[in-house]
PDB file of all heavy atoms in Angstrom:
ATOM      1  N   ASP A  29     -23.383 -33.622  21.052  1.00 37.00           N
ATOM      2  CA  ASP A  29     -22.049 -33.608  20.525  1.00 37.00           C
ATOM      3  C   ASP A  29     -21.196 -34.617  21.281  1.00 37.00           C
ATOM      4  O   ASP A  29     -19.940 -34.311  21.335  1.00 37.00           O
ATOM      5  CB  ASP A  29     -21.412 -32.186  20.447  1.00 37.00           C
ATOM      6  CG  ASP A  29     -22.059 -31.313  19.439  1.00 37.00           C
ATOM      7  OD1 ASP A  29     -22.701 -31.913  18.479  1.00 37.00           O
ATOM      8  OD2 ASP A  29     -22.032 -30.173  19.622  1.00 37.00           O
ATOM      9  N   ALA A  30     -21.697 -35.724  21.619  1.00 37.00           N
ATOM     10  CA  ALA A  30     -20.866 -36.694  22.319  1.00 37.00           C
ATOM     11  C   ALA A  30     -19.991 -37.235  21.231  1.00 37.00           C
ATOM     12  O   ALA A  30     -20.183 -37.196  20.105  1.00 37.00           O
ATOM     13  CB  ALA A  30     -21.715 -37.738  22.964  1.00 37.00           C
ATOM     14  N   LYS A  31     -18.929 -38.014  21.722  1.00 36.00           N
ATOM     15  CA  LYS A  31     -17.984 -38.559  20.700  1.00 36.00           C
ATOM     16  C   LYS A  31     -18.665 -39.650  19.827  1.00 36.00           C
ATOM     17  O   LYS A  31     -19.369 -40.420  20.311  1.00 36.00           O
ATOM     18  CB  LYS A  31     -16.811 -39.213  21.420  1.00 36.00           C
ATOM     19  CG  LYS A  31     -15.817 -38.083  21.981  1.00 36.00           C
ATOM     20  CD  LYS A  31     -14.636 -38.822  22.652  1.00 36.00           C
ATOM     21  CE  LYS A  31     -13.592 -37.745  23.140  1.00 36.00           C
ATOM     22  NZ  LYS A  31     -12.535 -38.377  23.731  1.00 36.00           N
ATOM     23  N   LEU A  32     -18.489 -39.565  18.535  1.00 31.00           N
ATOM     24  CA  LEU A  32     -18.963 -40.483  17.613  1.00 31.00           C
ATOM     25  C   LEU A  32     -18.225 -41.863  17.717  1.00 31.00           C
ATOM     26  O   LEU A  32     -18.814 -42.913  17.604  1.00 31.00           O
ATOM     27  CB  LEU A  32     -18.945 -39.930  16.209  1.00 31.00           C
ATOM     28  CG  LEU A  32     -19.608 -40.855  15.154  1.00 31.00           C
ATOM     29  CD1 LEU A  32     -21.052 -40.996  15.311  1.00 31.00           C
ATOM     30  CD2 LEU A  32     -19.293 -40.260  13.770  1.00 31.00           C
ATOM     31  N   CYS A  33     -16.946 -41.749  17.953  1.00 36.00           N
ATOM     32  CA  CYS A  33     -16.052 -42.966  17.916  1.00 36.00           C
ATOM     33  C   CYS A  33     -15.341 -43.025  19.208  1.00 36.00           C
ATOM     34  O   CYS A  33     -14.073 -42.756  19.138  1.00 36.00           O
ATOM     35  CB  CYS A  33     -15.177 -42.975  16.642  1.00 36.00           C
ATOM     36  SG  CYS A  33     -16.105 -42.988  15.138  1.00 36.00           S
ATOM     37  N   GLU A  34     -15.868 -43.245  20.349  1.00 38.00           N
ATOM     38  CA  GLU A  34     -15.166 -43.346  21.623  1.00 38.00           C
ATOM     39  C   GLU A  34     -14.169 -44.497  21.434  1.00 38.00           C
ATOM     40  O   GLU A  34     -14.446 -45.582  21.170  1.00 38.00           O
ATOM     41  CB  GLU A  34     -16.157 -43.529  22.678  1.00 38.00           C
ATOM     42  CG  GLU A  34     -15.503 -43.477  24.050  1.00 38.00           C
ATOM     43  CD  GLU A  34     -15.140 -42.101  24.421  1.00 38.00           C
ATOM     44  OE1 GLU A  34     -15.953 -41.132  24.114  1.00 38.00           O
ATOM     45  OE2 GLU A  34     -14.142 -41.947  25.083  1.00 38.00           O
ATOM     46  N   GLY A  35     -12.969 -44.191  21.712  1.00 42.00           N
ATOM     47  CA  GLY A  35     -11.938 -45.257  21.686  1.00 42.00           C
ATOM     48  C   GLY A  35     -11.314 -45.362  20.378  1.00 42.00           C
ATOM     49  O   GLY A  35     -10.387 -46.212  20.287  1.00 42.00           O
ATOM     50  N   SER A  36     -11.776 -44.859  19.323  1.00 39.00           N
ATOM     51  CA  SER A  36     -11.183 -45.043  17.969  1.00 39.00           C
ATOM     52  C   SER A  36      -9.847 -44.470  17.954  1.00 39.00           C
ATOM     53  O   SER A  36      -9.476 -43.529  18.529  1.00 39.00           O
ATOM     54  CB  SER A  36     -12.107 -44.436  16.923  1.00 39.00           C
ATOM     55  OG  SER A  36     -11.498 -44.392  15.679  1.00 39.00           O
ATOM     56  N   LYS A  37      -9.043 -45.203  17.053  1.00 41.00           N
ATOM     57  CA  LYS A  37      -7.622 -44.677  16.825  1.00 41.00           C
ATOM     58  C   LYS A  37      -7.591 -43.455  15.910  1.00 41.00           C
ATOM     59  O   LYS A  37      -6.645 -42.682  15.866  1.00 41.00           O
ATOM     60  CB  LYS A  37      -6.762 -45.657  16.191  1.00 41.00           C
ATOM     61  CG  LYS A  37      -6.524 -46.979  17.196  1.00 41.00           C
ATOM     62  CD  LYS A  37      -5.723 -47.976  16.468  1.00 41.00           C
ATOM     63  CE  LYS A  37      -5.465 -49.183  17.365  1.00 41.00           C
ATOM     64  NZ  LYS A  37      -4.620 -50.140  16.714  1.00 41.00           N
ATOM     65  N   ASN A  38      -8.700 -43.148  15.206  1.00 47.00           N
ATOM     66  CA  ASN A  38      -8.744 -42.182  14.189  1.00 47.00           C
ATOM     67  C   ASN A  38      -9.349 -40.861  14.964  1.00 47.00           C
ATOM     68  O   ASN A  38      -9.867 -40.922  16.036  1.00 47.00           O
ATOM     69  CB  ASN A  38      -9.526 -42.415  13.016  1.00 47.00           C
ATOM     70  CG  ASN A  38      -8.848 -43.510  12.173  1.00 47.00           C
ATOM     71  OD1 ASN A  38      -7.591 -43.576  12.199  1.00 47.00           O
ATOM     72  ND2 ASN A  38      -9.615 -44.441  11.539  1.00 47.00           N
ATOM     73  N   VAL A  39      -9.349 -39.775  14.206  1.00 44.00           N
ATOM     74  CA  VAL A  39      -9.850 -38.528  14.756  1.00 44.00           C
ATOM     75  C   VAL A  39     -11.388 -38.654  14.795  1.00 44.00           C
ATOM     76  O   VAL A  39     -11.955 -39.043  13.860  1.00 44.00           O
ATOM     77  CB  VAL A  39      -9.496 -37.425  13.813  1.00 44.00           C
ATOM     78  CG1 VAL A  39     -10.105 -36.031  14.319  1.00 44.00           C
ATOM     79  CG2 VAL A  39      -7.928 -37.260  13.698  1.00 44.00           C
ATOM     80  N   ASP A  40     -11.942 -38.207  16.000  1.00 51.00           N
ATOM     81  CA  ASP A  40     -13.419 -38.292  16.039  1.00 51.00           C
ATOM     82  C   ASP A  40     -14.045 -37.003  15.558  1.00 51.00           C
ATOM     83  O   ASP A  40     -13.469 -35.981  15.321  1.00 51.00           O
ATOM     84  CB  ASP A  40     -13.798 -38.639  17.496  1.00 51.00           C
ATOM     85  CG  ASP A  40     -13.249 -37.662  18.494  1.00 51.00           C
ATOM     86  OD1 ASP A  40     -13.395 -36.362  18.198  1.00 51.00           O
ATOM     87  OD2 ASP A  40     -12.739 -38.030  19.525  1.00 51.00           O
TER      88      ASP A  40
END
Side-chain angles (χ1 to χ4, degrees):
D29 290 334
K31 286 185 178 179
L32 184 63
C33 302
E34 188 72 38
S36 171
K37 293 180 180 180
N38 293 327
V39 179
D40 57 44

